[in-house]
């Protein structure tokens, strides 16, 4: 299975998916750390995919959403955004609503 197919399968078969550097317990970059803290603050259950474990996924995810940076959050198969977008949505309460509906 190629990277695009694998990514599509992951984001469509899980309600909330975070592509990040490292793991939620051991994030490997500040933005990934912020993203996991926001999801934890929302009480969200999510699947974390460590892009450092697979170079094809690391490059493929940037093409999949046409978004150059990681982390990337997907809810119900839809690309939401990176750490900055997550932060502003969290501050406005929009992210909590989105996640509770998922």
């Amino acid at each position: 299975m190629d990277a695009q197919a694998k990514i599509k399968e992951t984001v469509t078969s899980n309600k909330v998916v975070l592509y990040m550097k490292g793991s939620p317990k051991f994030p490997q970059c500040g933005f990934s750390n912020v993203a996991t803290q926001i999801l934890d603050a929302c009480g969200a259950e999510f699947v974390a995919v460590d892009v450092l474990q697979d170079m094809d996924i690391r490059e493929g995810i940037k093409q999949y959403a046409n978004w150059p940076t990681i982390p990337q959050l997907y809810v119900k198969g839809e690309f939401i955004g990176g750490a900055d977008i997550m932060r502003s949505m969290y501050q406005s309460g929009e992210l909590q609503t989105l996640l509770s509906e998922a």
Side-chain angles (χ1 to χ4, degrees):
M1 188 184 302
D2 75 340
Q4 295 297 313
K6 199 170 172 185
I7 291 164
K8 184 174 186 185
E9 187 189 354
T10 302
V11 300
T12 54
S13 61
N14 297 286
K15 287 186 170 98
V16 182
V17 182
L18 181 69
Y19 283 84
M20 64 180 293
K21 293 178 180 173
S23 68
K25 285 190 180 12
F26 299 104
Q28 298 294 311
C29 83
F31 295 111
S32 291
N33 187 29
V34 166
T36 56
Q37 285 180 339
I38 290 170
L39 289 172
D40 287 344
C42 293
E45 280 185 37
F46 64 98
V47 173
V49 179
D50 180 0
V51 299
L52 301 177
Q53 300 297 321
D54 187 334
M55 286 311 292
D56 291 341
I57 297 293
R58 185 178 184 171
E59 289 310 308
I61 195 65
K62 295 173 186 178
Q63 294 157 359
Y64 186 82
N66 196 18
W67 188 263
T69 57
I70 294 161
Q72 291 184 13
L73 177 67
Y74 292 82
V75 177
K76 295 194 283 193
E78 214 174 305
F79 175 61
I80 305 302
D84 293 342
I85 292 170
M86 288 173 69
R87 185 186 284 124
S88 65
M89 286 177 72
Y90 176 70
Q91 287 166 342
S92 72
E94 198 182 340
L95 188 62
Q96 294 87 323
T97 305
L98 184 71
L99 291 168
S100 68
E101 289 167 359

